[in-house]
Amino acid sequence: MSGKGDTPEYVHKALAAKYGAEADRATAEANKSQAEAELNQLAVELTTFDLESKRRMEESVLALDEFHHVFRFHAPVTDSSVEKIMDRFTHWHRISDEPLNVKLQIYSPGGGIVSGNALFDFLQEWKGYGHHLTTVSRGYAASMGGIILQAGHVRQMGKESWMLIHEGSGGAQGSVGEIEDTVEWHKKMVKRLAEILAERSTMTVKQIERKWHRTDWWLDAQEALDLKLIDEIV
């Protein structure tokens, strides 16, 4: 005698439940596989994005003046602006294990004689460590800017750049004796500027002093090259 569980209707329901459960498991596994595939695809995309971001970041770094050791001195010659150059050049020197090729691009109206001389002396010392310095005038290198230009192993000017050479200016105050002392000191500084300009040029100190006496002497790039005040036009 057959039990209730053996009836065709019961068997049909049992089989339907079994197949339904198997279908649910198959659907769940398919959904899981799809989710895993989507996660894997997302991981690939994120990795690609990270690599692309790193590549763009590396390109940006490689394009920086800092990476190429270029300093753009686009300012008057002051204690503050000179200190920035000294700090940067000192930083490059301290983190480098080998001599550097550095470019100092000058676009300056000039400024303080003492500040400019401090930078000039600093650059001589810095070159003494074996580093190579190229100075280049863009726009103009006026007054002390032109003196700093002379500090480079190689001195360059843009074709449309200008150099201004003139007697340094300064003020004096105090007692008559103090004023006389200041004037005498000022004459010595101006004399030294003429000597710096004459050291590598075709002109003597006397010629330079006569040329700049009470006048602004503007030279274009070709004139500066002819007088050996620069080495190259770029």
Side-chain angles (χ1 to χ4, degrees):
M1 184 174 177
S2 303
K4 180 178 179 181
D6 295 331
T7 61
E9 181 180 356
Y10 181 83
V11 171
H12 178 74
K13 287 181 178 180
L15 290 174
K18 176 183 177 181
Y19 295 145
E22 292 177 350
D24 289 342
R25 284 196 297 272
T27 299
E29 291 177 357
N31 290 338
K32 179 181 178 182
S33 297
Q34 182 178 355
E36 290 175 347
E38 290 175 352
L39 286 174
N40 289 335
Q41 180 61 32
L42 179 60
V44 170
E45 292 175 355
L46 288 174
T47 300
T48 302
F49 178 79
D50 287 342
L51 291 174
E52 182 65 19
S53 296
K54 289 179 180 178
R55 183 187 66 80
R56 288 197 298 267
M57 185 177 297
E58 288 174 355
E59 287 179 347
S60 297
V61 170
L62 293 177
L64 291 174
D65 285 343
E66 174 77 13
F67 180 81
H68 292 278
H69 299 113
V70 175
F71 190 100
R72 300 180 191 274
F73 181 35
H74 295 183
V77 179
T78 65
D79 290 347
S80 177
S81 64
V82 163
E83 184 177 2
K84 290 179 182 178
I85 299 175
M86 292 179 175
D87 287 346
R88 178 53 54 194
F89 277 48
T90 299
H91 171 76
W92 284 336
H93 166 67
R94 289 176 177 172
I95 66 173
S96 177
D97 295 327
E98 56 187 25
L100 302 171
N101 289 312
V102 175
K103 178 174 286 188
L104 177 60
Q105 180 172 294
I106 302 166
Y107 175 37
S108 174
I113 295 177
V114 175
S115 299
N117 283 340
L119 177 58
F120 190 87
D121 280 346
F122 169 83
L123 293 175
Q124 305 315 306
E125 179 184 2
W126 184 85
K127 291 189 299 181
Y129 294 119
H131 306 306
H132 186 273
L133 176 64
T134 298
T135 49
V136 55
S137 169
R138 297 292 186 187
Y140 67 163
S143 189
M144 284 308 298
I147 299 298
I148 295 169
L149 180 65
Q150 303 306 307
H153 289 101
V154 178
R155 304 159 299 169
Q156 301 175 336
M157 283 181 68
K159 185 177 180 181
E160 305 306 328
S161 186
W162 293 86
M163 181 185 297
L164 170 61
I165 297 175
H166 64 182
E167 290 179 291
S169 60
Q173 59 184 1
S175 66
V176 172
E178 289 172 337
I179 292 174
E180 289 176 347
D181 290 341
T182 301
V183 169
E184 187 63 28
W185 174 50
H186 181 74
K187 287 180 179 179
K188 289 180 179 180
M189 286 195 297
V190 171
K191 178 81 169 181
R192 182 59 193 136
L193 299 184
E195 290 172 349
I196 292 173
L197 291 170
E199 281 175 0
R200 295 162 66 182
S201 77
T202 61
M203 301 186 72
T204 66
V205 171
K206 292 296 184 183
Q207 288 173 326
I208 291 173
E209 289 176 334
R210 285 196 298 268
K211 191 69 177 178
W212 75 11
H213 182 59
R214 296 184 180 179
T215 186
D216 284 345
W217 180 23
W218 286 97
L219 296 89
D220 62 27
Q222 188 59 55
E223 290 170 328
L225 181 63
D226 292 342
L227 292 173
K228 302 302 180 186
L229 289 166
I230 61 169
D231 303 296
E232 300 172 355
I233 297 175
V234 293

